[in-house]
Amino acid sequence: MADCPRGHDPGEAGLADGYCGVCGSRLTGVPGAGGASPPSPSSPSSPPAPAAAGSPGGCAACGAPVSGRFCEDCGHDQAAAPRRAVAVAVEWRATVEADRAHYDEMIAQGGPDAARVLFPPYCPRRDVPLTGTEVRIGRLSRSRALAPEIDLSGPPEDPGVSHLHAVLLSGPGDTWTLVDPGSANGTIVNGRPVEANRPVPVDDGARIHLGAWTLITLRRGRSA
């Protein structure tokens, strides 16, 4: 006869599996009753935590438990090389070109040299990478030992650009600011004149006008 060691009525379910339906104790007098004790009702089971990626029994890509070749969570083939994180770097560049609308506006102001300044018939567009902490904009001057990183000496040469017209300074978080140290003809950022020696933040797509026709557009990209 099956009895609960604590005196409970095991119930039909308990008689069927050999454990008391009230307290879970193993019944006595049940032929073949055995096996591990059932889990305590107060301690519910929880799914196992994922193993570290690449550890024994864990997916090489995500760390989830695997029993076959392919991970059921992410589908990674365990026979293939482990996936590696790809570092993504931010790349800035300056696109230099001639802007006819800016030229027309400058000539309309009627400066003393306006009649002698002509819009260039050919001015190839070019990209200049922004590297380092300081990028100077201007025209080459051998007498002053000045070789700006964005050299607007040409050809064609924009006569309205000073030898050191403006400077781009890098900041934290891949940011840039522009400073005009006091150029003869000034600098315009996104349609607004820049005060001399006052830093102006510039972002992706910023349009910098200077000289008689020069337009510099900042571009931010990413590369692996």
Side-chain angles (χ1 to χ4, degrees):
M1 180 177 178
D3 295 314
C4 171
R6 296 187 179 181
H8 299 123
D9 180 3
E12 294 183 2
L15 294 174
D17 60 16
Y19 292 94
C20 177
V22 178
C23 66
S25 300
R26 184 182 301 177
L27 302 179
T28 59
V30 179
S37 299
S40 171
S42 61
S43 302
S45 60
S46 58
S55 64
C59 173
C62 70
V66 291
S67 57
R69 176 172 175 175
F70 296 94
C71 176
E72 294 183 1
D73 281 22
C74 69
H76 179 65
D77 183 357
Q78 305 306 305
R83 296 175 183 173
R84 296 181 179 178
V86 179
V88 178
V90 176
E91 290 185 346
W92 284 87
R93 70 181 187 278
T95 300
V96 183
E97 56 190 321
D99 185 353
R100 182 60 192 245
H102 176 67
Y103 168 80
D104 292 342
E105 184 177 346
M106 294 297 102
I107 297 302
Q109 295 178 7
D113 299 325
R116 297 196 301 268
V117 178
L118 302 177
F119 188 77
Y122 176 68
C123 184
R125 176 176 172 173
R126 58 193 175 97
D127 288 337
V128 180
L130 303 185
T131 59
T133 59
E134 178 180 297
V135 177
R136 297 165 296 177
I137 304 172
R139 292 187 293 122
L140 177 68
S141 175
R142 292 185 174 85
S143 62
R144 298 171 57 183
L146 178 62
E149 286 71 29
I150 301 180
D151 186 6
L152 303 176
S153 300
E157 182 179 64
D158 188 333
V161 175
S162 301
H163 287 292
L164 181 59
H165 198 106
V167 181
L168 289 167
L169 302 173
S170 66
D174 294 308
T175 59
W176 290 88
T177 57
L178 179 139
V179 177
D180 184 325
S183 63
N185 297 307
T187 306
I188 300 173
V189 174
N190 295 330
R192 295 185 177 183
V194 173
E195 295 184 29
N197 293 308
R198 181 180 293 273
V200 176
V202 287
D203 204 349
D204 183 25
R207 292 166 59 86
I208 304 169
H209 283 98
L210 60 158
W213 63 71
T214 300
L215 168 61
I216 300 175
T217 306
L218 301 187
R219 304 291 186 190
R220 176 172 54 192
R222 297 181 181 274
S223 66

